[in-house]
Amino acid sequence: MRLELEEASNWIKLFAKKVEANKSELNELDTAIGDGDHGTNMDRGAKAIVESLSKNDPTNVSDLYKDTAFAMIQKVGGASGPLYGTAFLDMSKAVKNGNIELSDLIQIGTDGIKRRGEADVNMKTMIDVWQPISDVLKSGKLIKKDVKEALDSTEDMVATKGRASYLEEKSKGHIDPGSQSSAYLFDTLVDVLGENN
Ligand code: ADP
Ligand code: MG
């Protein structure tokens, strides 16, 4: 399955809305194991995405992902801005000469985050949502339960990357904030695909 421009554009816009609506939730999660700004950071990025898409009105998926990447790199800040930015920039490059399978697209985004963050699965970061979702997409349809399971798996992990890693064992028992914003990204992907994708 390939995500065409209209679906992809709806996806990004829905994600931006979801982030704006859940700004406090993201800040609360980041207050528990970070510095409390993940919602504020992502909300800034979400507003920049909406503004950029309405101004540029991208005519292909590569430009759509590029505009999304630039908005996040320029406006989100923190650790998460460059990470989301790299994911979408790598996705933009991957579809430059023709659209690709959705599962490949999301794996390329995941690999970008791993490279940029020098991180991998089980470190209690957004990768713990991106990688399992890539795997689910490779084997079939994606449903919200898959997203929830990936998100919940971060609760019992000890953080070994990012700000939460300063807490060592005390980082356990909390959902990772970047995984929550990534869960919004994939929940909204299911919204555009439909549960019978
Ligand atoms: P900061 O930690 O700089 O305040 P944010 O609060 O916006 O930035 O984002 C924190 C989130 O970024 C974490 O919850 C985690 O998911 C993600 N993150 C942090 N460092 C890394 C990393 N090295 N690799 C992947 N994800 C990371
Ligand atoms: Mg933070």
Side-chain angles (χ1 to χ4, degrees):
M1 183 211 328
R2 285 155 211 244
L3 214 52
E4 302 302 338
L5 180 63
E6 193 182 340
E7 276 175 321
S9 167
N10 286 341
W11 172 36
I12 302 299
K13 287 175 190 162
L14 277 178
F15 169 56
K17 265 196 201 155
K18 185 108 179 172
V19 164
E20 288 186 52
N22 290 282
K23 173 182 170 182
S24 336
E25 168 83 34
L26 293 174
N27 275 340
E28 273 166 37
L29 291 174
D30 198 32
T31 299
I33 55 168
D35 57 355
D37 64 356
H38 188 57
T40 306
N41 293 344
M42 292 297 291
D43 178 64
R44 233 175 13 242
K47 290 182 163 65
I49 290 172
V50 172
E51 199 188 313
S52 165
L53 297 188
S54 71
K55 201 168 71 188
N56 297 338
D57 197 13
T59 52
N60 58 69
V61 281
S62 183
D63 285 348
L64 171 75
Y65 300 144
K66 190 180 70 194
D67 290 347
T68 303
F70 284 179
M72 297 192 94
I73 290 168
Q74 286 164 5
K75 296 287 176 188
V76 176
S80 56
L83 293 166
Y84 272 111
T86 301
F88 276 99
L89 207 49
D90 284 4
M91 285 157 60
S92 167
K93 286 179 195 154
V95 296
K96 182 101 189 129
N97 296 314
N99 211 344
I100 60 171
E101 280 296 313
L102 179 60
S103 56
D104 293 331
L105 181 77
I106 302 302
Q107 185 61 62
I108 285 165
T110 306
D111 291 342
I113 297 173
K114 288 182 181 177
R115 188 182 75 247
R116 179 76 207 222
E118 297 178 333
D120 211 324
V121 290
N122 284 316
M123 293 178 164
K124 198 180 179 102
T125 73
M126 56 175 79
I127 295 166
D128 292 305
V129 167
W130 280 76
Q131 186 58 66
I133 299 307
S134 306
D135 294 340
V136 169
L137 285 168
K138 277 173 221 159
S139 61
K141 69 173 190 175
L142 177 68
I143 56 173
K144 288 196 180 177
K145 187 164 161 276
D146 299 314
V147 180
K148 175 94 171 79
E149 272 174 23
L151 175 65
D152 287 348
S153 79
T154 67
E155 186 163 352
D156 285 336
M157 290 178 189
V158 173
T160 53
K161 276 283 176 187
R163 227 175 261 281
S165 65
Y166 308 154
L167 295 177
E168 299 177 342
E169 278 290 319
K170 288 199 182 102
S171 62
K172 254 188 164 176
H174 304 276
I175 298 271
D176 170 58
S179 297
Q180 179 65 76
S181 57
S182 299
Y184 296 150
L185 180 69
F186 295 115
D187 271 346
T188 52
L189 178 60
V190 176
D191 287 338
V192 302
L193 297 175
E195 292 257 352
N196 294 318
N197 58 89

